Amino acid sequence: MKSLCSTIICGCLVLPGAAAAELKFGGQVVVGYGEVQNGPVDPGTDGGYGILDLTLGNQHDLGGVGFKWDVRGRVRSDQDDIGQVEDNNIDAAVEFDFGAGGKLGLTTFIETYDQKPWADGDLFNRGSVGVFPVIQKRYDGVRDSQFTAGGPFGAKVDPDVLLTYSNKFGRLGFDFTWNFMETWDGKKRSEMANNADNFAVAEAKLTLPTKGFGIYSLQFNDIGDAEAQVVFPMREKGLTFVGRYSINEGNFDEYRGNLAVIYRPKNMGLFKGAFFAHAFNDVSSRSALSLAFGKDAWEVKIAGDTDGDVAIEGAYNFNKMTSLHFGWDNGFSNSGGPGNGFDDDTFPAPVFAAERGSAFEVAFVHKF
């Protein structure tokens, strides 16, 4: 994969005869400290850490074909502690835009740790997540990290590189994602967990936005999993309703559902919004609620779920580029089943989530 990234970078920098827009350069510096109490320490959560991101990108016109590329270099002081999920020092992506012929791309960016609408207490140090309804997933996404040999208690790894294609046919959108190398962090299926034959490597998604009746989507993969979703925004009221339902390998008896309501009010003073989610499958169900508050330069999120997990996140923005962040959660036990308090679907752990006590994290962020 490193050689692939090098090839992409070199090719982008020496494109001949291409009309290019201005080169985009940016990045961020993160300096933080995290600590876990009264339990096993998860990777990267005990002690200080520093992260440096540098990003570079550009767009070109190749004789009527649009072309853009992005490269990110990332250095972490806790590189040896974070496991093998999103551990690349260099990621790259390229995309060709053929207009009516669609967009074709290659990417090594496999992002799973983006901040979500709810507070979970986890910021940048890749610790375990303390709040979210933990319901076993039924849809295996191509971008999902997977267990290596020895799973489900072994390390998790990401797909190396993905081929993507997207197009629109009127209102209907089509997206295709393919792990064509069928490797995860350089490991082939034979080096993965015993159920590696059931890892998805190709998936397609259809999306249909309507006028006033919501956005509908259906995605399915090469092992028979399927997931349907509807998003119904009520912008004038600040409300968004989301419903999602998935089945496992064509078996309707193995299902998972998610219902969510997102509320972003206007002109309500300190109260900035709420997020409620209810998740259920053929075995159990759980719910979570997160509330957001803020004024001027500061913001706070408080969340809890029906497992008794609680988390708080806060931030103070000195300006548009510099901010201070804080996160805390009360930990979780395995009394409700393995990994209780950890959403393995949305936040793949470097290792299986262990029982632990409370945790906190503080981080200073400067973007440029």
Side-chain angles (χ1 to χ4, degrees), residues 125-172:
N125 71 342
R126 300 279 300 275
S128 286
V129 177
V131 171
F132 197 75
V134 184
I135 300 296
Q136 183 179 359
K137 65 179 183 179
R138 298 306 190 200
Y139 183 89
D140 187 41
V142 173
R143 294 179 180 269
D144 289 356
S145 58
Q146 303 288 1
F147 284 110
T148 58
F153 299 101
K156 299 191 80 172
V157 290
D158 291 324
D160 282 326
V161 59
L162 301 177
L163 182 146
T164 62
Y165 176 77
S166 63
N167 205 343
K168 281 192 173 182
F169 306 94
R171 286 185 171 270
L172 182 65

Side-chain angles (χ1 to χ4, degrees), residues 8-64:
I8 292 175
I9 295 170
C10 293
C12 293
L13 294 178
V14 298
L15 279 172
E22 183 178 355
L23 192 67
K24 296 183 299 179
F25 175 78
Q28 67 174 2
V29 176
V30 181
V31 179
Y33 177 84
E35 187 173 299
V36 173
Q37 302 290 333
N38 305 320
V41 176
D42 288 335
T45 61
D46 189 13
Y49 63 90
I51 305 170
L52 172 63
D53 284 347
L54 297 176
T55 60
L56 194 65
N58 208 341
Q59 298 184 32
H60 305 263
D61 183 356
L62 304 179

Side-chain angles (χ1 to χ4, degrees), residues 5-325:
C5 288
S6 300
T7 302
I8 292 175
I9 295 170
C10 293
C12 293
L13 294 178
V14 298
L15 279 172
E22 183 178 355
L23 192 67
K24 296 183 299 179
F25 175 78
Q28 67 174 2
V29 176
V30 181
V31 179
Y33 177 84
E35 187 173 299
V36 173
Q37 302 290 333
N38 305 320
V41 176
D42 288 335
T45 61
D46 189 13
Y49 63 90
I51 305 170
L52 172 63
D53 284 347
L54 297 176
T55 60
L56 194 65
N58 208 341
Q59 298 184 32
H60 305 263
D61 183 356
L62 304 179
V65 175
F67 175 74
K68 69 177 182 177
W69 58 272
D70 293 281
V71 177
R72 183 187 65 196
R74 170 170 289 175
V75 179
R76 301 185 63 118
S77 64
D78 57 351
Q79 185 74 27
D80 295 334
D81 299 322
I82 62 172
Q84 297 166 283
V85 176
E86 290 180 33
D87 64 331
N88 296 339
N89 294 118
I90 297 178
D91 277 303
V94 296
E95 183 182 80
F96 294 89
D97 187 345
F98 299 99
K103 298 178 181 180
L104 181 67
L106 284 174
T107 182
T108 68
F109 286 92
I110 314 294
E111 303 296 333
T112 56
Y113 280 82
D114 295 336
Q115 292 295 300
K116 302 299 180 181
W118 61 89
D120 53 45
D122 188 56
L123 302 177
F124 303 96
N125 71 342
R126 300 279 300 275
S128 286
V129 177
V131 171
F132 197 75
V134 184
I135 300 296
Q136 183 179 359
K137 65 179 183 179
R138 298 306 190 200
Y139 183 89
D140 187 41
V142 173
R143 294 179 180 269
D144 289 356
S145 58
Q146 303 288 1
F147 284 110
T148 58
F153 299 101
K156 299 191 80 172
V157 290
D158 291 324
D160 282 326
V161 59
L162 301 177
L163 182 146
T164 62
Y165 176 77
S166 63
N167 205 343
K168 281 192 173 182
F169 306 94
R171 286 185 171 270
L172 182 65
F174 173 77
D175 294 276
F176 178 75
T177 307
W178 182 24
N179 178 0
F180 62 97
M181 295 175 60
E182 297 191 21
T183 59
W184 296 261
D185 202 30
K187 296 175 175 62
K188 299 180 180 180
R189 286 185 186 267
S190 59
E191 301 172 88
M192 301 296 288
N194 293 333
N195 65 334
D197 288 341
N198 294 329
F199 292 171
V201 296
E203 68 183 0
K205 182 177 182 180
L206 300 172
T207 304
L208 181 64
T210 64
K211 293 184 177 180
F213 293 97
I215 303 168
Y216 299 84
S217 63
L218 174 66
Q219 63 180 357
F220 43 91
N221 61 29
D222 60 308
I223 60 174
D225 299 345
E227 183 171 84
Q229 176 178 277
V230 58
V231 178
F232 191 83
M234 300 177 66
R235 294 181 178 85
E236 69 281 0
K237 298 183 181 297
L239 282 167
T240 301
F241 297 90
V242 181
R244 184 185 303 163
Y245 191 87
S246 58
I247 62 170
N248 181 247
E249 297 183 14
N251 185 356
F252 284 87
D253 292 330
E254 295 184 2
Y255 61 84
R256 169 173 167 163
N258 296 81
L259 300 173
V261 181
I262 303 171
Y263 180 47
R264 296 187 179 94
K266 297 180 179 179
N267 304 319
M268 291 192 68
L270 296 179
F271 180 61
K272 299 303 180 182
F275 173 88
F276 173 79
H278 177 69
F280 59 93
N281 65 6
D282 44 288
V283 178
S284 60
S285 64
R286 294 186 179 95
S287 302
L289 174 66
S290 184
L291 303 176
F293 304 89
K295 180 176 175 61
D296 299 328
W298 64 270
E299 55 189 69
V300 175
K301 292 180 183 178
I302 304 173
D305 63 25
T306 51
D307 290 328
D309 305 308
V310 179
I312 300 174
E313 290 181 11
Y316 183 84
N317 301 297
F318 298 98
N319 50 54
K320 292 183 179 180
M321 308 301 287
T322 308
S323 55
L324 183 66
H325 301 258

